[in-house]
Amino acid sequence: MNAIAVLAQESGDSTVSVTSVASPLGTLHVAALAAGVCAMAFDEHRDALALRLRRMLGPFFHIEAGDPIGVAPRLRAYFAGRLDALLDAPLATAATPMQRRVWSLVGSVPAGSVTTYAVLADRLGMPRAQRAVGVCLATNAVPIFIPCHRVVSTSGGIASHPGGIARKRWLLQHERALDVADLTTARVLRARRARLDPRDTVELGPVNAMGANANE
C-alpha cells in the first residue's frame, strides 16, 4: 500500500472529489483528496481516471463531484495569465522516490523558463539517467500542477508530454517560454549550451518577425 492510500485510510475519509474545469486545453478532470490534488486527466482520458485512482488508493474509495480545496479557481486564474496561481495548490499524488525527486526539481522551474532532461539528470547526480527522467515525467499524474511541460530535449525539441505535443506547445507559449516553433527553442539552447551551468534553466526571450531572439 502506497503512502497516499495509507493517508486516506488513516484519515478515515476515502472520498475523492472530482471537478471538471473548462480550459483552452479542453476540459480538465481533477481528482483530490482532503490532503491535495492526487490525479488529473485530460478530457480524452477521463475514463482512465477511475483506474488510476484504484491503482493509487486500492478498491475502497468513493468518488463524488466537488472541489473542496479550490482547484477550479486556481486553474482559471492560471489560464487567465496568473502564472503563479498553481504554486500553492496542495498535492497528494503517489510517487516512487525517483519520481518524487524528479517532480520536485521540475516544480522548481519557474514559468517562462525551460530545462532539459540532461540538466535534470545531472542535478540528480545521475548524468546517464535521462531516459529514467523521461519516464518519471511521462508518468506525471498531475500535469500542469507539476509542470513537466517545462522540460525539453537537449537538442531543443519540444519532446513528449502526457497531454500531447500540441498541449505542451500551447503551455510553453502561454508562459511565454516558446514563441514560434520548436526550432526557436533548439537554436537558443544550442547558442547558450556552452555557457549554461548544469543547474541553470533557460529563459527564452521574445522572438521578432525574422525569428531572431530579441535578447540576443
Side-chain angles (χ1 to χ4, degrees):
M1 183 178 294
N2 65 56
I4 303 302
V6 171
L7 177 65
Q9 187 178 74
E10 290 179 348
S11 69
D13 186 359
S14 58
T15 299
V16 179
S17 300
V18 176
T19 186
S20 298
V21 182
S23 83
L25 303 179
T27 302
L28 307 178
H29 305 274
V30 185
L33 298 166
V37 177
C38 59
M40 193 199 87
F42 294 99
D43 198 40
E44 68 272 21
H45 300 138
R46 63 189 181 280
D47 293 339
L49 185 59
L51 179 60
R52 180 185 286 274
L53 291 171
R54 185 170 292 108
R55 288 199 300 265
M56 186 183 298
L57 300 170
F60 305 109
F61 65 92
H62 168 67
I63 294 178
E64 64 179 31
D67 186 15
I69 61 174
V71 168
R74 286 183 171 94
L75 282 169
R76 293 190 188 104
Y78 170 81
F79 287 114
R82 213 188 90 203
L83 301 181
D84 62 351
L86 302 179
L87 288 178
D88 64 347
L91 301 179
T93 188
T96 65
M98 178 70 170
Q99 285 173 323
R100 201 162 297 285
R101 291 178 68 193
V102 171
W103 295 351
S104 177
L105 289 175
V106 172
S108 69
V109 178
S113 300
V114 294
T115 188
T116 69
Y117 299 96
V119 166
L120 292 177
D122 281 342
R123 293 188 67 182
L124 290 169
M126 299 183 289
R128 297 189 179 185
Q130 295 180 42
R131 187 180 298 274
V133 168
V135 170
C136 289
L137 297 180
T139 54
N140 177 8
V142 285
I144 306 179
F145 293 93
I146 295 174
C148 56
H149 58 276
R150 297 174 192 161
V151 184
V152 298
S153 68
T154 304
S155 66
I158 287 286
S160 62
H161 185 265
I165 297 297
R167 286 191 176 106
K168 183 171 185 175
R169 182 181 290 110
W170 189 96
L171 287 164
L172 289 173
Q173 290 172 334
H174 176 61
E175 295 179 353
R176 297 180 291 279
L178 181 66
D179 288 277
V180 280
D182 301 7
L183 291 177
T184 302
T185 312
R187 185 177 61 78
V188 174
L189 285 174
R190 284 196 298 269
R192 298 183 180 184
R193 190 176 302 137
R195 60 181 184 273
L196 269 180
D197 185 278
R199 295 181 178 275
D200 283 346
T201 57
V202 181
E203 296 182 0
L204 304 184
V207 176
N208 63 32
M210 299 299 294
N213 192 286
N215 292 336
E216 295 178 354

